[in-house]
Amino acid sequence: MRMHRPLLALTAAGAALTSVLAAPAHSAAVPTGGVFYVQSAVTGLNAADSGGAVVQRNPKGNEDRQQWTLRSSGASSVLESTDTAGSCLGRSGGQARTVACTSGDAPWEITATGTDQYRLKVPGAEQYLTVAAKPSGSNYPAQLALGTAGNLASWYLTPTTSPTSPMPSPDRRTLDQVTFLTSHNAYANGVDGGFAPPFINLVPNQSRGINQQLTDGVRGFMLDIHQTSDGAILCHNSCTLVSRPVALWVDIQRMVDYLRANPNEFVTVFLEDYVDPGVLRSELARVNGLSDVLYRPDQTGVRTNGWPKMSDLIAANDRLLIFTDHSRSADQSAGLTRDSFGVMYQREWTVENYWSMGSGLGSSDWSCYSRWYDANSNVPLTATAPPFRPLFVMNHFRDAAIASTATTDNTKLTDRAQRFCQPAARKKPNFLAVDRYDLGNPAAAVSTLNGYTY
C-alpha cells in the first residue's frame, strides 16, 4: 500500500531537480487569450478564488474555482474567473484578491521568462504575483501575495485543454511518451500466496497472479517489501500472521522470465521498500537473468539527453526498470546505496501524485497534487530539468480496494487523467496505477493516452 512510507527529506538529486524548475525548456510567447490555470512553478499548485482571497489549491480540473480566462489589451491583461463573470484575479493591500475586472487592480503585465514560465507584474510598480515565502518547518502559505521578481514569482499559464500532438511511430517514441497499465499492490492478489493478516486478505487489491497480470498487459508493478529472517518478503504493513508468504525474488523472476519469452516488452517495478540495502541486493542476486535485462538510466545519459526511444531500449535488452521509494541519504549512512546494484531512487527519476482518492466507500477526492509536497519536501508534479523530464506515476485508487468502487473509479480513469492530472503535471501520466485492473477496463484509458503526446 502506497500510504505507509513516511515522507523523507529530499535527496540531493531530488533537490537539484526542484531547483532547476527555471531551467530553459523553450521560450514561449505570452498568450493573448484562452482559459488557463495560473500554476506556481515552485509548488505546482493552482491559484484559486476562495471567497475573494486568491490562494494556492491542489489542482482539481474545472472544480474549485481554479480556471481563468485570459484577455489581453495592449500591454496589460486580465484573468477573469470562469466561475464568476466580471470577477478577475487582482490584488488589494499587498495580497492577491478577486476584484472587479474593470478595477485598476485587475490588470497585469505578463512577461515570459524564456522558460515556458511567466511573471505577472503590477503595471507601474515592481511588484509581482508571488507565492509567499515558506516559513521554516511548514508548507508554503496558501494565500498568494505581491512580492519581488524572484523564483516564487514564476508561474505557468497551463491551458485547461491540454495541447497534444499525434503519438510518434513505434520506432520513434521515447519512454516518457508512453503510458503503461500499472497494478497497485500487485502482490496482494490472493493467488500467488498470502500478503496480509487474514482480515485484510478479504479485500485484495488485485484478483489475478503476477503471471496473469503480465499476460493481461500490466507493465508496471507496485510491490511492498518487508524484511524478515527469510529476506525481502512481499506483504502489507507487516509479515506477521501472513500465511504462504512470497519472496520478492520470486515475483521478479516471473517478470524476468516473461521478458525473456517476450523480447519486445518493457516492465517497471516500484518498491515500497522497508528492507536494508544489503538484504535487497542479496534478494535480487537470486534472480536468474536479471542483469541481462536490468535498465540503468543512471549509466546511460538520461539526465543530459532525455529518455531514450523504446526501440533502442528493446534493442539493447534494457527492459526492466526498478525503483525504490527508500531514502538515498539513509542508504549513504548505511554505507550501501541501492543504485550501486541497479535499483533507482524513485524521487530522482519520477513525480507522483498523492496516493489516495479517499476511503473505499463514500465521497472521493479527484484533485491531483504531488505526493512529495509537505513541510519537509517539495517535488511538484511539474518538476522538470530539460531535456530530462521525470516519468509521471499517476495513482488512482482508494484506501481499500472495494470491488464495486474500483469498477466505478476505473471507468473514470481517462477523465481524471486528462482533466485533472495531465494539466496538474503538465505532462501525461506514464504509469496509470489502479486497484482491480480487471474491472472497469482501465486498459482502455492506457490505449487512449498512448494515442498522443502532451
Side-chain angles (χ1 to χ4, degrees):
M1 191 69 92
R2 305 293 287 171
M3 72 190 97
H4 301 293
R5 166 69 59 190
L7 286 171
L8 304 170
L10 282 175
T11 63
L17 176 61
T18 303
S19 69
V20 295
L21 288 176
H26 64 274
S27 181
V30 177
T32 57
V35 181
F36 298 91
Y37 300 105
V38 180
Q39 186 175 22
S40 169
V42 172
T43 67
L45 306 185
N46 288 342
D49 176 14
S50 177
V54 178
V55 300
Q56 294 191 94
R57 288 279 176 81
N58 296 332
K60 203 171 184 181
N62 61 347
E63 302 175 12
D64 203 26
R65 308 172 70 87
Q66 299 181 4
Q67 296 188 347
W68 307 88
T69 300
L70 174 68
R71 296 189 179 87
S72 297
S73 177
S76 296
S77 302
V78 295
L79 289 152
E80 183 179 13
S81 169
T82 60
D83 295 285
T84 306
S87 179
C88 279
L89 192 162
R91 60 262 167 197
S92 176
Q95 293 188 326
R97 304 281 300 180
T98 51
V99 298
C101 293
T102 54
S103 166
D105 290 320
W108 302 92
E109 293 177 357
I110 302 177
T111 57
T113 64
T115 61
D116 202 22
Q117 297 171 19
Y118 304 90
R119 292 195 180 100
L120 278 66
K121 179 180 177 294
V122 176
E126 289 301 315
Q127 291 184 304
Y128 300 81
L129 180 67
T130 185
V131 173
K134 183 180 186 292
S136 177
S138 64
N139 293 338
Y140 288 97
Q143 174 69 56
L144 298 178
L146 300 182
T148 60
N151 191 43
L152 294 175
S154 294
W155 300 91
Y156 292 113
L157 295 177
T158 300
T160 58
T161 301
S162 296
T164 62
S165 298
M167 189 71 159
S169 60
D171 62 323
R172 301 297 301 172
R173 63 190 59 169
T174 56
L175 177 59
D176 57 323
Q177 293 175 325
V178 180
T179 300
F180 300 95
L181 178 60
T182 300
S183 57
H184 170 237
N185 285 356
Y187 64 96
N189 53 58
V191 175
D192 294 328
F195 61 90
F199 69 95
I200 298 180
N201 285 339
L202 296 175
V203 191
N205 297 95
Q206 308 299 336
S207 64
R208 299 174 181 176
I210 295 296
N211 283 335
Q212 187 61 50
Q213 292 181 36
L214 286 160
T215 299
D216 292 344
V218 175
R219 294 294 177 264
F221 298 85
M222 291 181 169
L223 307 174
D224 292 12
I225 52 174
H226 292 260
Q227 188 167 317
T228 74
S229 58
D230 296 319
I233 302 301
L234 295 162
C235 45
H236 182 256
N237 289 352
S238 168
C239 298
T240 304
L241 302 179
V242 174
S243 63
R244 299 185 300 120
V246 177
L248 172 66
W249 78 267
V250 172
D251 275 355
I252 299 297
Q253 187 70 66
R254 289 178 169 124
M255 298 172 197
V256 171
D257 291 346
Y258 179 84
L259 290 172
R260 185 183 293 117
N262 297 271
N264 293 317
E265 299 299 333
F266 186 93
V267 166
T268 304
V269 174
F270 300 89
L271 298 178
E272 186 168 325
D273 188 346
Y274 299 95
V275 307
D276 294 333
V279 170
L280 180 58
R281 180 176 61 181
S282 297
E283 188 80 9
L284 294 177
R286 301 180 66 181
V287 180
N288 180 39
L290 175 60
S291 61
D292 295 335
V293 294
L294 189 62
Y295 173 40
R296 297 289 303 269
D298 59 328
Q299 296 182 351
T300 52
V302 169
R303 291 201 177 278
T304 54
N305 301 317
W307 294 99
K309 292 182 290 186
M310 292 298 299
S311 58
D312 290 342
L313 289 170
I314 300 302
N317 207 29
D318 292 336
R319 298 189 292 123
L320 178 61
L321 177 56
I322 304 178
F323 290 116
T324 174
D325 72 343
H326 210 83
S327 162
R328 173 185 286 276
S329 60
D331 285 349
Q332 288 171 332
S333 299
L336 177 64
T337 60
R338 290 164 211 252
D339 56 358
S340 68
F341 51 88
V343 176
M344 302 293 102
Y345 292 98
Q346 188 183 342
R347 295 194 199 189
E348 299 176 8
W349 301 97
T350 77
V351 293
E352 179 179 338
N353 66 307
Y354 183 66
W355 59 270
S356 176
M357 296 191 295
S359 69
L361 296 171
S363 61
S364 58
D365 179 4
W366 283 45
S367 63
C368 211
Y369 59 98
S370 177
R371 185 181 179 210
W372 303 321
Y373 175 73
D374 67 358
N376 299 313
S377 61
N378 180 34
V379 183
L381 294 182
T382 54
T384 186
F388 169 69
R389 290 168 58 86
L391 303 176
F392 176 20
V393 181
M394 178 184 156
N395 295 313
H396 185 79
F397 46 82
R398 310 286 186 123
D399 301 9
I402 307 301
S404 59
T405 304
T407 301
T408 301
D409 287 345
N410 289 347
T411 62
K412 299 177 180 179
L413 181 56
T414 302
D415 182 54
R416 184 172 182 233
Q418 294 182 324
R419 189 158 57 96
F420 290 74
C421 292
Q422 188 169 269
R426 295 175 56 83
K427 60 178 77 73
K428 73 175 186 181
N430 299 107
F431 301 93
L432 293 180
V434 299
D435 283 332
R436 293 299 305 271
Y437 76 88
D438 56 308
L439 303 176
N441 196 18
V446 174
S447 178
T448 297
L449 268 63
N450 277 328
Y452 65 88
T453 61
Y454 182 93

